[in-house]
Amino acid sequence: MSQELNFSPSSKELLSKLEGKNATIGVVGLGYVGLPLAVEKAKAGFNVIGFDVQEKRTQLVNDGINYIGDVVDEELAELTSSKKLIATTDYSKIAEVDAVAICVPTPLDKYQQPDTSYVESSATDIAKYLHKGMLIVLESTTYPGTTEEVLQPILEKSGLKAGVDFHLAYSPERVDPGNKHFNTKNTPKVVGGLTSECTAIAASMYRSVLEGDVHEVTSPRVAEMEKILENTFRNINIGLANEMAILCEKMGINVWEVIDAAATKPYGFMAFYPGPGLGGHCIPIDPFYLTWKAREYNYHTRLIETAGEINNAMPDFVLERVMKILNEDKKALNGARVVLLGVAYKKDIDDMRESPVLPILEKLELAGADWVVVDPHVKEFKLNGKMYPTTELNQELLSGADLVMLTTDHTDFDYKMIANNSPVVFDTRNAFKELQTEVKKYHLL
């Protein structure tokens, strides 16, 4: 696309810097999205400045100490020691960069409405030091229209006009913590700019860094909607799997066997699996950005909301199953000793954002259960404002439990040892698929 456009002199200069990897690139927000992106940009040869409001984070980065699972410790240490990557809380250094990627949180508030305050705050800080020819790319997942309706007006308070004096684009993050095959570097990227020139320049930056394909779309809104579609697709299909699990349990059918059988069809079916609830930074949250935005157009996203209701109800279903399982042994949930295996939202990571295990723990506590959590990836976690340490897995802990519940199927759990020493196992992840006969009493979600 870049060859077809008549670029302005400042745009040609920026393109030359990006293609020659002579540009200085800023990354705002050094969390699960921002730090891996900053590392990849620095590895590609760019000088990178990472910005974050948390001084502890910037200090860790500058000391070469990694805190994100998808970043290689040695790579971060090498990049920071060579000063290819530096981190700061001083946003005046925005004046030194040629391009900025904004990777800050966009959570939902208690009313299930998008909270864009982190984006707005970042834009306000950037606007103070915005200069001509600069590229700004928003990566935070959000509702369609955010780039133009929220970000652009704040940036233009600088006196510079988007699409004329500086370049503005949206390119949604695609981060799947713990994925062994796809990471920031090799995952295809979608880019939509305010103008064709904005799109081409943003795409050029990503092509200079990433191995995956860079797919250009016609506007930020298309790119924003595309990201919502990705995660809404998963949310709804997981909702279907969870509803099937509830129905299959009532009918005495193994839902996991049903799904595995359906997955043998080579076309028209994609396997999604049930679980104790939805977790993570995207799937439980992103669809509700669209639900909120759709109301502006007097439209109600019924399918999204129904899937959300099913998924959000899974912790209640899990608690109901726990009570039934204990009742079979003439035990009450009140006072029962329950060992939960895993508190992270998915296997082999320490990420606890929106973990469905937390509401399960809340419900167990309200019911009077005596619970402990084992998680080799999480040393401690917060529940209702209080910090709890996780416990080491051992035979005594298991044998003394009234019920052992597998909530996160970490690879490094010793499943055979768990099966041989647990009086009752409630498996919400089908992790004991090959060991069911070795468990004294086995219950599957």
Side-chain angles (χ1 to χ4, degrees):
M1 180 183 284
S2 59
Q3 296 178 350
E4 303 170 3
L5 298 172
N6 184 22
F7 289 105
S8 66
S10 62
S11 296
K12 288 180 180 177
E13 181 183 356
L14 179 56
L15 269 176
S16 178
K17 282 186 173 183
L18 292 171
E19 291 169 357
K21 299 183 180 178
N22 299 313
T24 298
I25 298 179
V27 176
V28 176
L30 296 175
Y32 286 92
V33 175
L35 185 60
L37 182 64
V39 166
E40 289 303 332
K41 289 178 184 293
K43 283 169 58 181
F46 291 103
N47 291 316
V48 179
I49 303 176
F51 298 87
D52 202 286
V53 295
Q54 298 183 40
E55 190 168 344
K56 181 181 179 181
R57 270 188 182 178
T58 60
Q59 189 60 53
L60 286 171
V61 172
N62 289 329
D63 290 342
I65 301 172
N66 181 33
Y67 51 89
I68 298 294
D70 288 347
V71 172
V72 178
D73 295 358
E74 295 78 13
E75 290 181 350
L76 178 64
E78 182 181 343
L79 293 169
T80 53
S81 65
S82 65
K83 303 300 181 184
K84 291 299 292 181
L85 170 60
I86 63 171
T88 183
T89 58
D90 181 5
Y91 279 74
S92 69
K93 291 188 177 294
I94 291 286
E96 301 175 16
V97 306
D98 301 291
V100 176
I102 301 173
C103 307
V104 296
T106 45
L108 295 173
D109 65 18
K110 63 181 181 180
Y111 303 109
Q112 297 287 288
Q113 297 180 136
D115 177 2
T116 59
S117 60
Y118 296 100
V119 172
E120 293 170 35
S121 177
S122 299
T124 299
D125 289 331
I126 292 169
K128 296 174 186 175
Y129 308 101
L130 190 63
H131 53 80
K132 283 191 174 184
M134 198 169 175
L135 168 66
I136 311 294
V137 183
L138 178 62
E139 289 216 4
S140 306
T141 304
T142 186
Y143 61 86
T146 303
T147 303
E148 294 160 273
E149 296 168 8
V150 177
L151 188 60
Q152 182 179 344
I154 297 174
L155 294 174
E156 289 185 340
K157 288 180 180 178
S158 65
L160 301 177
K161 186 171 178 59
V164 178
D165 300 310
F166 68 94
H167 310 286
L168 182 62
Y170 181 79
S171 181
E173 56 87 1
R174 281 175 166 169
V175 174
D176 185 17
N179 193 310
K180 305 298 183 186
H181 303 290
F182 290 102
N183 50 45
T184 299
K185 189 174 182 64
N186 66 5
T187 300
K189 208 75 165 83
V190 173
V191 179
L194 194 64
T195 65
S196 297
E197 192 169 303
C198 292
T199 302
I201 290 174
S204 177
M205 178 181 69
Y206 288 112
R207 289 191 179 106
S208 298
V209 174
L210 308 178
E211 293 176 350
D213 177 53
V214 177
H215 182 80
E216 300 178 26
V217 296
T218 54
S219 71
R221 286 173 178 264
V222 171
E224 289 160 342
M225 182 64 94
E226 174 279 320
K227 172 62 174 179
I228 297 295
L229 175 60
E230 289 179 27
N231 289 325
T232 300
F233 173 81
R234 294 171 70 187
N235 183 295
I236 289 172
N237 280 282
I238 292 170
L240 174 61
N242 282 332
E243 188 164 56
M244 289 292 290
I246 294 169
L247 182 59
C248 282
E249 192 272 331
K250 293 180 182 297
M251 299 176 71
I253 299 171
N254 185 325
V255 68
W256 305 90
E257 186 178 1
V258 170
I259 295 170
D260 286 345
T264 62
K265 186 178 181 181
Y267 54 87
F269 182 83
M270 179 181 292
F272 286 82
Y273 296 94
L278 279 185
H281 63 299
C282 285
I283 302 176
I285 296 174
D286 296 359
F288 292 100
Y289 298 150
L290 189 58
T291 293
W292 175 82
K293 187 65 175 177
R295 296 188 190 120
E296 183 181 322
Y297 299 88
N298 195 29
Y299 185 81
H300 294 278
T301 51
R302 291 163 291 179
L303 193 57
I304 294 174
E305 292 175 31
T306 299
E309 289 175 8
I310 295 167
N311 293 330
N312 290 338
M314 288 307 290
D316 288 306
F317 175 67
V318 167
L319 191 73
E320 181 184 320
R321 290 292 311 282
V322 168
M323 288 190 288
K324 287 182 178 178
I325 293 167
L326 289 170
N327 192 53
E328 290 179 7
D329 287 333
K330 295 182 171 55
K331 293 180 180 179
L333 180 57
N334 191 339
R337 180 77 167 171
V338 180
V339 175
L340 292 93
L341 303 178
V343 71
Y345 84 85
K346 64 180 287 192
K347 65 189 292 186
D348 300 341
I349 64 171
D350 63 358
D351 193 344
M352 290 181 48
R353 288 174 294 174
E354 308 298 323
S355 172
V357 184
L358 298 180
I360 291 172
L361 290 173
E362 288 180 343
K363 295 174 190 304
L364 287 172
E365 189 152 291
L366 283 172
D370 179 15
W371 56 263
V372 294
V373 172
V374 176
D375 194 312
H377 296 271
V378 179
K379 293 181 179 179
E380 59 179 4
F381 61 93
K382 182 183 286 188
L383 181 67
N384 293 329
K386 182 180 176 181
M387 296 303 298
Y388 293 87
T390 57
T391 304
E392 185 178 343
L393 183 64
N394 57 62
Q395 295 180 12
E396 184 180 358
L397 178 71
L398 295 169
S399 60
D402 293 305
L403 182 143
V404 175
M405 178 162 50
L406 190 285
T407 40
T408 312
D409 50 336
H410 292 307
T411 302
D412 43 4
F413 277 140
D414 187 341
Y415 289 98
K416 190 173 183 64
M417 188 272 282
I418 296 167
N420 290 333
N421 290 278
S422 301
V424 183
V425 169
F426 177 29
D427 183 0
T428 70
R429 302 284 189 177
N430 199 25
F432 290 85
K433 184 177 181 179
E434 308 301 329
L435 295 168
Q436 294 180 21
T437 56
E438 298 188 35
V439 183
K440 295 175 184 176
K441 293 182 180 178
Y442 180 73
H443 300 266
L444 190 59
L445 182 70

